[in-house]
Amino acid sequence: MVATLYIDGAWRQASDGSAHDVHSPHDQRIVATVSQATQSDVQDAITAARESFDSGIFSSWSFNERSALVAKIADLLERDADLIARKESDDTGKRFIEAQYDVADVVSTFRHFAALGLKEHGRVVDVGLDHVSSRIVHEPLGVASLIGPWNYPLLQIAWKVAPALVAGCSFIVKPSELTPQSAIALMKIIEEAGTPKGVANLILGPGSVVGTPLINDPRIDLVSFTGGLTTGQTIMRAAATTIKKLALELGGKNPHIIFADADIEAAIDNAVTAAFLHSGQVCSAGTRLIVERSIHDQVVNEIVRRAGLITLGGPDDRLAETGPLISQAHLSNVSQYVEKGVAEGAQLLVGGKRSDLPEHAQGWYYLPTVLDNCTSKMFCVQEESFGPVMTVEVFDTEAQAIAIGNDTPFGLSGGVWSKDAEKAARVASALRHGTIWVNDFGPYRPAAEWGGYKQSGIGRELGEHGLGEYLEIKHIWTNNAPSRSGWFRAHE
Ligand code: NDP
């Protein structure tokens, strides 16, 4: 019996006993078998979340009490870090050490929100009247559906669960069906930490089936979603019916601009990392290289050389530098994306195919790929591959670099390299993306907001705003010397 759904404070199997196998992207072996929720299980989870919220069993706790719970969860996550990292690398195929880094980031996320909960919430407003006290108070928003992707499964869920708990919301977590194990582990810890029954619920199964009620049901107040643009559009349409609050973290096609006056060695090294880390399965991957024409050959030749040397391998391969793609379907998408780029006129300089090493035969390994001679109008430049594919464009002037960097429907992140601090600051300010790195690419901290401009999403995770997504704001006006309003003559 597989009982991996967590509903109303109890672990249970699917109501019809359904379960499904999770396969390693490295070698296709079965790494877990988990329950697959039915529609009635989803209804039970929504009911449990709604009833627990409305009862005040948790939403009435003070911020301090909820912060203490979240800090305890951080401690328990730290205790189980390696066990969880193992599950994460089994599901995603990523190297165990990368999964360890991810779990450390998860712990930092919980600690950040625990600390944020201890800060002063709300404020007094001076309305200019001695007999009136006016206060802004922050209240838990209600019941949230928290839907996450497969690339950083636990981290992306943590960015939602930690603030939801500090805010006092009840919620239903839905991880990707491809990567459910770390969410199960998190839910066990949430239970162990003493979270009241019904507050935290876990539903497993395919998004198109079990996700639909989580975005349609009128009892849900907020959908916080990280995933692809198409699913984000579906969620936004569904949310319109009941005017749900939305927090959407969607894709990116992130410009990485290198000026001729940059520290070229550092820029090249970071460009390789930005594009090929986790085989490009990173929403903020720097897969769109925009390089000044005069250094194009120097930069691109060296990137191509280094890309060709990247060692691919499974979770426990000590020589591996990055891992497989998540699934056969995703590998097929990335292959087609590259073929389309070449058909449009891009020049394939390296990669462009599946690894043919015998040790990769059972896994979804795609070689780091560079497409040169690209222009902004090409499909491969406008769309996200979510794989290890870098496109290269050139510019001659600062204005051109900015225009190219902004010529995208997305707006998640970008980078700019130059030793001219004023120029770099001008470009950073002109780029319409949610995070800009100057002479760097990739780092983030839980204390800093994360999110997208344009079609990369709505709202922000992390930082202080990341908690605000889970709070309602109420204004309470108290008249301490009540009198008649005197507006209508009839009352005189
Ligand atoms: P998807 O949009 O396919 O899936 C994301 C989640 O939504 C999964 O849990 C999925 O379930 C679920 N889902 C799918 N369809 C529905 C539906 N109709 N209703 C409710 N839930 C649904 O994205 P991927 O998992 O493929 O993730 C890759 C995408 O996520 C990329 O575009 C990437 O850029 C983006 N992303 C953005 C980040 C950011 O911070 N902006 C961070 C990480 C990823 P299931 O998988 O079980 O079908």
Side-chain angles (χ1 to χ4, degrees):
M1 185 186 87
V2 186
T4 54
L5 307 179
Y6 186 63
I7 300 171
D8 203 15
W11 290 95
R12 48 156 117 157
Q13 56 179 325
S15 58
D16 65 357
S18 292
H20 85 101
D21 294 333
V22 180
H23 295 265
S24 161
H26 165 59
D27 56 10
Q28 295 184 54
R29 91 200 132 86
I30 295 172
V31 291
T33 302
V34 300
S35 315
Q36 184 156 314
T38 62
Q39 294 297 327
S40 104
D41 297 324
V42 182
Q43 291 306 316
D44 287 352
I46 297 173
T47 302
R50 186 75 253 170
E51 288 182 359
S52 74
F53 183 80
D54 292 342
S55 74
I57 191 173
F58 181 62
S59 52
S60 64
W61 286 20
S62 68
F63 272 102
N64 282 8
E65 288 169 322
R66 295 192 301 248
S67 280
L69 176 78
V70 170
K72 186 166 180 194
I73 292 170
D75 292 342
L76 296 173
L77 283 162
E78 212 156 30
R79 181 196 69 190
D80 293 352
D82 281 357
L83 290 171
I84 298 171
R86 173 55 59 193
K87 291 176 191 301
E88 197 81 313
S89 66
D90 277 352
D91 284 3
T92 60
K94 69 173 65 175
R95 294 179 305 148
F96 180 61
I97 191 169
E98 283 186 46
Q100 286 177 309
Y101 296 148
D102 292 353
V103 177
D105 282 0
V106 168
V107 172
S108 303
T109 301
F110 276 86
R111 296 221 186 284
H112 160 70
F113 283 108
L116 203 55
L118 297 177
K119 283 189 167 178
E120 195 73 18
H121 290 276
R123 67 181 198 278
V124 172
V125 179
D126 181 359
V127 294
L129 298 169
D130 289 343
H131 61 286
V132 168
S133 72
S134 162
R135 283 183 307 127
I136 300 296
V137 295
H138 293 173
E139 297 179 346
L141 193 139
V143 175
S145 293
L146 310 179
I147 304 174
W150 44 258
N151 59 339
Y152 289 90
L154 188 60
L155 187 59
Q156 298 297 331
I157 289 289
W159 289 12
K160 304 174 191 309
V161 167
L165 284 171
V166 169
C169 292
S170 292
F171 53 84
I172 303 107
V173 170
K174 211 297 283 172
S176 170
E177 62 173 328
L178 301 172
T179 55
Q181 289 200 79
S182 56
I184 298 170
L186 172 65
M187 216 46 78
K188 288 187 172 153
I189 282 175
I190 286 175
E191 179 185 38
E192 182 183 345
T195 309
K197 163 173 156 337
V199 170
N201 301 275
L202 176 68
I203 283 295
L204 304 175
S208 54
V209 181
V210 303
T212 303
L214 294 179
I215 61 179
N216 284 333
D217 196 295
R219 293 171 293 171
I220 305 282
D221 301 298
L222 162 79
V223 180
S224 177
F225 168 78
T226 301
L229 178 61
T230 310
T231 316
Q233 288 165 333
T234 304
I235 290 173
M236 212 164 162
R237 274 191 291 273
T241 313
T242 49
I243 312 291
K244 288 191 199 325
K245 304 278 190 295
L246 287 181
L248 302 178
E249 295 290 343
L250 308 176
K253 180 72 188 181
N254 310 294
H256 199 180
I257 299 171
I258 305 181
F259 283 94
D261 60 4
D263 175 336
I264 302 291
E265 164 53 28
I268 288 172
D269 188 63
N270 278 274
V272 171
T273 308
F276 302 123
L277 174 86
H278 195 15
S279 293
Q281 301 170 115
V282 182
C283 53
S284 54
T287 51
R288 189 179 181 195
L289 190 74
I290 301 168
V291 60
E292 193 159 351
R293 192 181 303 275
S294 60
I295 54 163
H296 167 276
D297 291 357
Q298 178 192 358
V299 168
V300 174
N301 290 345
E302 185 55 16
I303 288 176
V304 166
R305 189 184 74 78
R306 294 183 192 194
L309 293 174
I310 292 174
T311 307
L312 307 182
D316 296 312
D317 181 341
R318 293 195 178 275
L319 295 178
E321 296 169 291
T322 188
L325 298 180
I326 189 71
S327 64
Q328 186 170 24
H330 189 44
L331 184 134
S332 163
N333 286 341
V334 173
S335 301
Q336 285 169 28
Y337 174 97
V338 172
E339 281 163 23
K340 206 163 171 178
V342 171
E344 279 178 309
Q347 187 185 1
L348 177 64
L349 298 183
V350 66
K353 59 176 184 160
R354 195 172 168 176
S355 166
D356 50 17
L357 293 177
E359 60 267 35
H360 296 159
Q362 298 303 311
W364 315 122
Y365 286 94
Y366 195 84
L367 297 177
T369 299
V370 177
L371 294 174
D372 198 6
N373 290 340
C374 295
T375 63
S376 293
K377 298 291 165 265
M378 289 178 172
F379 170 87
C380 63
V381 170
Q382 289 297 316
E383 297 293 325
E384 182 188 39
S385 74
F386 219 55
V389 185
M390 175 193 282
T391 59
V392 184
E393 296 159 84
V394 290
F395 68 91
D396 294 300
T397 65
E398 181 181 324
Q400 266 179 11
I402 293 167
I404 295 171
N406 282 336
D407 187 359
T408 163
F410 293 111
L412 187 60
S413 68
V416 51
W417 289 82
S418 169
K419 286 183 185 155
D420 178 341
E422 284 183 17
K423 179 165 73 179
R426 278 194 306 274
V427 175
S429 149
L431 288 174
R432 293 191 45 76
H433 299 264
T435 296
I436 301 294
W437 292 285
V438 175
N439 296 328
D440 213 332
F441 204 103
Y444 80 97
R445 289 291 181 276
E449 275 75 3
W450 180 265
Y453 284 36
K454 301 196 272 183
Q455 292 183 28
S456 285
I458 295 176
R460 289 293 179 271
E461 297 200 288
L462 302 179
E464 295 199 7
H465 277 72
L467 176 59
E469 301 283 354
Y470 296 87
L471 294 168
E472 279 289 14
I473 297 174
K474 182 181 281 176
H475 177 201
I476 301 179
W477 169 294
T478 306
N479 189 335
N480 297 311
S483 61
R484 293 176 48 209
S485 79
W487 187 267
F488 293 109
R489 284 192 306 278
H491 298 289
E492 286 175 358

